[in-house]
Amino acid sequence: MWAFIGSSGFEYFDEFEVLETLPRETPFGLCSDGLERVKVKGQEALFLCRTGQEQHLLPSKINYRANIYALKKHGATSILALSSVRSLRAELKPGDMVIPYQYIDRTKSSRVSTFCDDNLLAYVSLTHPICEEAASKLKDSKKKFDFAIHFGQVYVCIEGPQFPTMVDAKCFQAMSGGVIGMSGFPEYALAREAGLHYLPCHFIVDYVPWDNQTPKMECVIETRHENYAKALSICEYAVKELASFGEVSTVKNSLAASLNALPEMLSPDQKSWVGTIIGST
């Protein structure tokens, strides 16, 4: 089943038919509110707003572990992650969609980024952090969409809520950064540990100034509204044209594939949730 995670302009989609509001309780605390079982173009899916439907959570306060656990528990095999981002490059324009293939973590707080725990250890590769196969299929179909889609970019995850200085922005450019966001990490890493395909689809709303000549957008809110319909079309495409990724999880480099623990070593609390994370859907 596909799960859609939204925020910053994609807190909900009126076009999704809500079938059921799901419980938020997990062994890691409450997941973000707005966890729903929905129907998209006749296909069942899950939806979750990572920052809360009232946009009340700072990126550093999101319970990423609870969010990924809840989606896996309720049947997700793949995640399509939506958010608004800002561009570090003139050729990546407001209104365009970006699918990053790599990430740079520049967060500062202690975001919990793993399901690993005492007696529960796994070394999971993030060399290829997203589902490049799904991205490739989308790339083959990009002419179906009336907006530009950029593939293979680098997403710089900053702490927020402040945006970087011009010198920081230039440093990120030198590191191959293409867009800046605040919630990509550790979401993609936890999805990989849980064995879920992860397809990030981010929509640009503005530029991050890297010098005094950087273009300035005066209509960020308008651009966000325009991006809503684009994001909806991507979700509808996924449930129809990328249906195979919503049927079964086949991620190889997951926690389940590299777990180094014996059942008798796990605590009762760990035994209560580890089966959900390492189990196939």
Side-chain angles (χ1 to χ4, degrees):
M1 184 189 304
W2 274 99
F4 303 108
I5 301 180
S7 65
S8 57
F10 312 113
E11 291 83 12
Y12 56 86
F13 288 90
D14 290 330
E15 293 79 2
F16 289 3
E17 178 188 350
V18 178
L19 303 176
E20 180 185 8
T21 298
L22 298 169
R24 297 169 57 200
E25 293 78 10
T26 82
F28 309 101
L30 294 177
C31 71
S32 300
D33 61 7
L35 175 62
E36 298 169 336
R37 191 180 303 276
V38 299
K39 188 170 284 188
V40 183
K41 285 292 183 178
Q43 303 297 314
E44 193 170 312
L46 300 174
F47 180 79
L48 175 66
C49 179
R50 63 170 69 81
T51 53
Q53 291 187 318
E54 299 301 322
Q55 198 77 348
H56 62 280
L57 292 175
L58 286 170
S60 59
K61 301 297 184 180
I62 296 170
N63 192 338
Y64 294 96
R65 281 197 304 178
N67 287 353
I68 298 300
Y69 179 90
L71 294 176
K72 181 73 180 280
K73 176 184 177 181
H74 290 292
T77 58
S78 299
I79 291 173
L80 195 154
L82 298 163
S83 73
S84 295
V85 294
R86 283 170 163 78
S87 173
L88 284 164
R89 302 189 181 277
E91 66 270 21
L92 305 178
K93 299 177 175 60
D96 293 357
M97 190 181 94
V98 170
I99 296 183
Y101 282 38
Q102 292 292 321
Y103 291 82
I104 297 172
D105 171 28
R106 299 293 292 174
T107 59
K108 301 173 183 177
S109 61
S110 299
R111 302 187 184 194
V112 181
S113 60
T114 181
F115 288 105
C116 291
D117 200 353
D118 291 341
N119 294 326
L120 185 63
L121 179 61
Y123 297 100
V124 174
S125 172
L126 297 176
T127 301
H128 299 283
I130 77 156
C131 183
E132 294 184 13
E133 184 180 354
S136 179
K137 290 183 179 295
L138 179 55
K139 187 175 183 178
D140 291 340
S141 303
K142 67 178 183 178
K143 290 183 179 179
K144 295 182 178 181
F145 302 96
D146 60 356
F147 51 90
I149 306 178
H150 304 273
F151 296 83
Q153 295 296 319
V154 176
Y155 177 118
V156 181
C157 190
I158 62 172
E159 181 66 20
Q162 302 94 346
F163 285 104
T165 65
M166 285 193 290
V167 172
D168 279 333
K170 287 181 178 179
C171 289
F172 297 152
Q173 287 177 330
M175 298 165 69
S176 301
V179 295
I180 282 180
M182 300 177 185
S183 59
F185 177 83
E187 190 174 88
Y188 70 87
L190 290 164
R192 170 56 54 78
E193 284 195 349
L196 301 174
H197 301 292
Y198 189 80
L199 181 63
C201 296
H202 304 300
F203 288 86
I204 299 172
V205 295
D206 199 1
Y207 294 98
V208 173
W210 55 85
D211 58 31
N212 290 324
Q213 283 72 50
T214 303
K216 295 182 180 179
M217 295 293 295
E218 305 296 337
C219 53
V220 172
I221 299 299
E222 181 180 337
T223 302
R224 279 179 54 156
H225 289 325
E226 293 172 352
N227 287 344
Y228 174 96
K230 301 172 186 177
L232 176 62
S233 69
I234 289 291
C235 294
E236 293 175 344
Y237 170 86
V239 297
K240 289 291 188 179
E241 304 299 327
L242 301 177
S244 62
F245 296 95
E247 293 171 357
V248 63
S249 179
T250 56
V251 176
K252 296 179 180 179
N253 297 316
S254 63
L255 192 148
S258 54
L259 186 63
N260 181 23
L262 298 175
E264 60 268 21
M265 296 174 60
L266 302 181
S267 69
D269 286 343
Q270 290 170 331
K271 290 179 181 178
S272 71
W273 60 261
V274 71
T276 296
I277 291 299
I278 68 174
S280 60
T281 305

